[in-house]
Amino acid sequence: MSARLPRRDFLALGAAAAAAPFIPGRAFAASPTGTGLHGLSAFGDLKYGPDFTHFDFVNLDAPKGGTFNFLPNYWYFNQSPLTFNTLNTFVARGDAPPRMELCYDSLMVRAIDEPDAIYGLLASSVTISDDRNSFDFALRPEARFNDGTPFTADDAVFAFDLFKKDGHPNLLLPLSHLKEAKALDPHTLRLTFDGKQSDRTILDVATYAIPAKAFFETHPFDASELKAPLGSGPYKVGRVSPGQSIEYERVADYWGRDLPVSRGLYNFDRIRVEFYQDRQAAFEAFKKGDIHFRQEATARIWATGYDFPAFTAGKVIKREFPSEKRPTMQAMALNQRRARFRDPRVRQAIALCFDFEWTKRNLFYGSYERSQSTFEKSAYKAEGLPSPAELALLEPFRGRIPDETFGEAVLQPPSDGSGRDRKLLGQASKLLSDAGWLRKDGRLRNDKGEALTLEILVDDDAFVRVYSPWAENMKAIGIEATLRLVDSTQYQARQTSFDYDAISAAAGFSATPSRDEIDGLFHSRSAKLQGSTNLPGTADPAVDALIDAVGAAKDRETLTVAMRALDRLLRARQDWIPNWFSANHRAAFWDMFGYKEPKPDFGFPVEAMWWFDKDKAARIGKT
């Protein structure tokens, strides 16, 4: 299962690679000033030297051609996998189609076989000022938009100013400390920060996709149009059927096709995304061959659905790929902008009503594990008692944060698997009673006579099936719990305006999270910013201080300590109720593609890395 939560950046879909000699780089914190650098990283050496020709995870001999029709399993900003009504993915409102990012280039791109390195795309190099607050990007003079017009520093200045003023919150927040974007000349861009930014802010900002200034001089910067902003990327928008399908056409004369960060990537002539409101309808389309690739998000289908003729004939492959070595979170957010959810005892009681063990056995076919952490599957997950270094960060807030923060890392307790664990429900009832919610006429009411109600907002029938037993357990202890299934457009609008009691979310973080990356989820500055991903409305000075500690970390050890301390506090606060996670990608695809193994450790952009194999396609009748 996965939920809708746009993530921070474009996750290196503009990267590419193959073998290159190992030439040591330098950590960003120690990167020399006053000289042009081909790449930056947060900690440690760069894998690729200034003369690298390609990344190691691509096949330089991959042929170009074919169509890749797939169901995206992740998306960014205002994008939706269920429908779309705008082609502007840079704003908070509206539903844009996934993979619009393929139409745009960025100053630099992430290498997905390294935890935090970026290398030049639109920029050939970057020079850091002596005070490390200014960054001069040398732009490639050959860079072109897809209409043939040159890309200049003015385009970048316009984009950064626009994003800082009116962009999606996940673009806007990291730019809060950008003092000025300035074109020194047509091919030199200077970004100057105010000194309050994290050392790693530039690693995020430099990967922002940049549309053409000329487009927005004649079109509004909002979600009102189904006309794509002009980009300079390897794909452009082709055929569009609003709300139903979109095709991205490979730009044959893409200006950056021979750059080291692009070689071996972007092999399909067309990338097609189709939209289905119903998961079963999407699966039926895959079975018929209308969809070529899917990552299976429904445990029931993975366990029981692969018995159709094409699969039994060997035309469809079903296999698992290792997940990325990055932290993930799947959790339920309780909206603390509503007074009844502000008491952590209420949030804890609601969490106790979720019987994961029963759900795993009866609905998940044993295929998921219980998530406990905000940063699951990573070294940033807090375990056991806090270390002395963690305590040093937490002690200044003793008495102002939950006492549980200073003990064993908070865990969601296992149930007896019955579906209605009397012991856990009894604990939940006591917590609610202690919080002032008492039974009256079979319902829990506070001293004002108000009933304790909770509506779980969902946009997929699959979540109705999974969350209904949770709601039934809440009803058993007097909470008036309901589920509200709405269409994708209404769901997006209600999420953007924080119009919900409870909503689920899935998020992936980079291997080296920055302050800017986690601000939107946890910092008080995002709590009232509509469209942000701070879904619970977390606004706690202690959380803010720990996020600042994450941003100030100068080495991976210090970063890990700060992240673990933050995880402890978030789990003790019960802002997010952790749900479940899977250790691997469960993928199914028609046997008509080539791909290189092993997959990179920090990303899995299949549509950018794989290629169409004519011989395989011919063998299964998919020429």
Side-chain angles (χ1 to χ4, degrees):
M1 306 286 294
S2 62
R4 297 186 55 197
L5 181 61
R7 292 186 301 178
R8 270 222 19 65
D9 62 359
F10 285 139
L11 196 61
L13 289 180
F22 179 84
I23 303 175
R26 301 185 67 183
F28 172 67
S31 295
T33 59
T35 186
L37 305 172
H38 75 291
L40 300 171
S41 69
F43 309 119
D45 292 330
L46 293 168
K47 178 179 178 180
Y48 299 100
D51 297 324
F52 83 104
T53 59
H54 53 280
F55 292 133
D56 291 341
F57 53 83
V58 302
N59 175 14
L60 285 181
D61 297 322
K64 305 295 185 184
T67 297
F68 187 69
N69 192 335
F70 80 125
L71 300 173
N73 73 310
Y74 58 85
W75 44 93
Y76 307 102
F77 307 131
N78 67 343
Q79 296 175 6
S80 167
L82 301 178
T83 189
F84 67 97
N85 49 39
T86 180
L87 296 182
N88 185 350
T89 192
F90 303 107
V91 293
R93 296 191 178 277
D95 295 287
R99 300 305 172 266
M100 281 300 301
E101 62 273 10
L102 291 170
C103 300
Y104 307 98
D105 285 328
S106 53
L107 297 172
M108 307 181 82
V109 294
R110 297 187 185 277
I112 55 176
D113 57 348
E114 297 181 77
D116 49 44
I118 59 175
Y119 297 90
L121 176 56
L122 287 166
S124 59
S125 66
V126 57
T127 301
I128 307 172
S129 66
D130 289 341
D131 65 4
R132 298 185 178 275
N133 290 329
S134 291
F135 302 84
D136 288 357
F137 293 89
L139 304 181
R140 300 183 193 272
E142 68 270 29
R144 292 288 186 274
F145 287 104
N146 289 330
D147 66 351
T149 57
F151 178 95
T152 71
D154 283 337
D155 292 291
V157 169
F158 180 84
F160 285 115
D161 287 346
L162 189 62
F163 295 161
K164 182 175 180 178
K165 181 177 181 289
D166 296 318
H168 188 281
N170 287 354
L171 290 166
L172 183 154
L173 285 169
L175 294 174
S176 60
H177 296 299
L178 180 66
K179 186 176 179 181
E180 181 183 39
K182 182 178 182 180
L184 301 185
D185 60 53
H187 298 119
T188 308
L189 168 71
R190 174 172 291 172
L191 297 180
T192 301
F193 293 84
D194 61 12
K196 299 177 182 179
Q197 78 282 359
S198 164
D199 281 347
R200 299 189 298 283
T201 294
I202 194 61
L203 301 181
D204 293 322
V205 171
T207 62
Y208 279 13
I210 302 177
K213 173 183 178 181
F215 178 88
F216 287 115
E217 288 180 330
T218 57
H219 294 81
F221 186 66
D222 59 26
S224 64
E225 290 193 332
L226 273 169
K227 184 175 179 62
L230 178 63
S232 61
Y235 287 87
K236 61 183 179 180
V237 173
R239 289 190 294 180
V240 173
S241 178
Q244 296 180 0
S245 66
I246 185 170
E247 287 188 359
Y248 301 102
E249 298 176 352
R250 185 169 61 86
V251 179
D253 59 349
Y254 169 49
W255 76 270
R257 63 187 179 277
D258 294 323
L259 293 177
V261 296
S262 299
R263 296 181 67 203
L265 289 177
Y266 317 122
N267 301 311
F268 296 108
D269 281 347
R270 285 170 300 281
I271 295 174
R272 180 178 172 89
V273 179
E274 296 189 15
F275 296 80
Y276 297 89
Q277 294 284 336
D278 180 76
R279 291 192 186 212
Q280 188 59 43
F283 184 55
E284 293 301 323
F286 173 75
K287 288 162 62 175
K288 291 188 297 183
D290 295 339
I291 301 296
H292 302 148
F293 177 95
R294 61 185 274 122
Q295 291 197 53
E296 188 56 69
T298 304
R300 174 183 55 81
I301 292 177
W302 187 253
T304 67
Y306 286 82
D307 57 356
F308 52 94
F311 179 75
T312 56
K315 295 181 179 182
V316 170
I317 294 174
K318 174 189 176 188
R319 62 163 291 184
E320 294 187 359
F321 293 89
S323 287
E324 287 68 67
K325 297 179 179 179
R326 297 185 284 109
T328 63
M329 177 185 75
Q330 172 125 356
M332 180 73 74
L334 297 174
N335 190 356
Q336 295 169 45
R337 301 170 187 86
R338 300 185 172 176
R340 59 189 181 278
F341 303 121
R342 290 175 190 159
D343 192 317
R345 293 171 295 187
V346 172
R347 302 195 293 273
Q348 184 181 357
I350 291 168
L352 288 171
C353 293
F354 178 52
D355 192 326
F356 173 76
E357 284 68 28
W358 183 91
T359 303
K360 177 180 178 180
R361 185 179 70 252
N362 291 278
L363 301 179
F364 290 163
Y365 295 83
S367 61
Y368 289 101
E369 299 301 325
R370 181 67 187 264
S371 178
Q372 295 287 357
S373 170
T374 319
F375 309 115
E376 195 61 66
K377 300 194 295 185
S378 76
Y380 307 129
K381 177 180 179 178
E383 296 185 285
L385 292 169
S387 67
E390 291 172 62
L391 284 174
L393 293 175
L394 296 169
E395 280 294 349
F397 303 100
R398 190 182 284 274
R400 291 179 284 161
I401 59 177
D403 291 340
E404 292 82 359
T405 311
F406 299 93
E408 296 274 346
V410 169
L411 298 174
Q412 302 299 319
S415 74
D416 61 11
S418 66
R420 186 161 293 187
D421 188 315
R422 292 180 178 274
K423 179 180 177 182
L424 295 184
L425 294 181
Q427 293 175 12
S429 293
K430 184 176 188 310
L431 285 166
L432 293 170
S433 176
D434 292 344
W437 295 93
L438 304 176
R439 282 259 194 180
K440 296 179 182 178
D441 303 323
R443 304 168 71 189
L444 289 173
R445 297 183 183 276
N446 60 15
D447 56 6
K448 298 179 182 179
E450 299 167 333
L452 180 54
T453 61
L454 183 147
E455 179 187 88
I456 301 175
L457 186 67
V458 297
D459 63 349
D460 193 306
D461 278 323
F463 286 106
V464 174
R465 188 168 61 94
V466 171
Y467 291 144
S468 288
W470 193 351
E472 290 302 315
N473 277 342
M474 284 189 264
K475 290 178 184 178
I477 61 172
I479 300 173
E480 192 174 322
T482 58
L483 277 83
R484 175 65 62 89
L485 175 64
V486 299
D487 63 37
S488 178
T489 300
Q490 186 178 355
Y491 184 92
Q492 176 77 355
R494 290 186 60 177
Q495 175 179 299
T496 298
S497 61
F498 307 127
D499 182 18
Y500 51 81
D501 293 340
I503 192 170
S504 65
F509 304 89
S510 67
T512 308
S514 67
R515 181 180 68 193
D516 307 291
E517 182 178 356
I518 57 181
D519 261 7
L521 278 160
F522 310 122
H523 200 285
S524 60
R525 78 177 110 206
S526 62
K528 295 182 179 179
L529 183 60
Q530 289 200 355
S532 83
T533 50
N534 187 343
L535 303 183
T538 304
D540 185 334
V543 172
D544 296 348
L546 292 176
I547 292 174
D548 289 341
V550 169
K554 302 296 184 183
D555 55 66
R556 194 167 294 280
E557 181 180 357
T558 306
L559 173 69
T560 301
V561 168
M563 289 288 289
R564 287 176 178 171
L566 176 61
D567 187 40
R568 285 183 187 280
L569 177 53
L570 291 171
R571 288 159 65 178
R573 284 179 50 87
Q574 304 273 351
D575 287 344
W576 297 84
I577 301 172
N579 294 166
W580 54 81
F581 71 92
S582 175
N584 298 304
H585 293 285
R586 296 184 307 224
F589 50 94
W590 286 75
D591 190 13
M592 51 194 283
F593 304 114
Y595 50 92
K596 186 174 181 179
E597 296 195 87
K599 64 172 284 294
D601 286 338
F602 302 102
F604 194 41
V606 173
E607 65 279 12
M609 296 190 302
W610 287 20
W611 60 92
F612 180 74
D613 188 316
K614 290 183 179 179
D615 293 336
K616 286 184 176 181
R619 285 197 292 270
I620 65 171
K622 297 287 284 187
T623 54

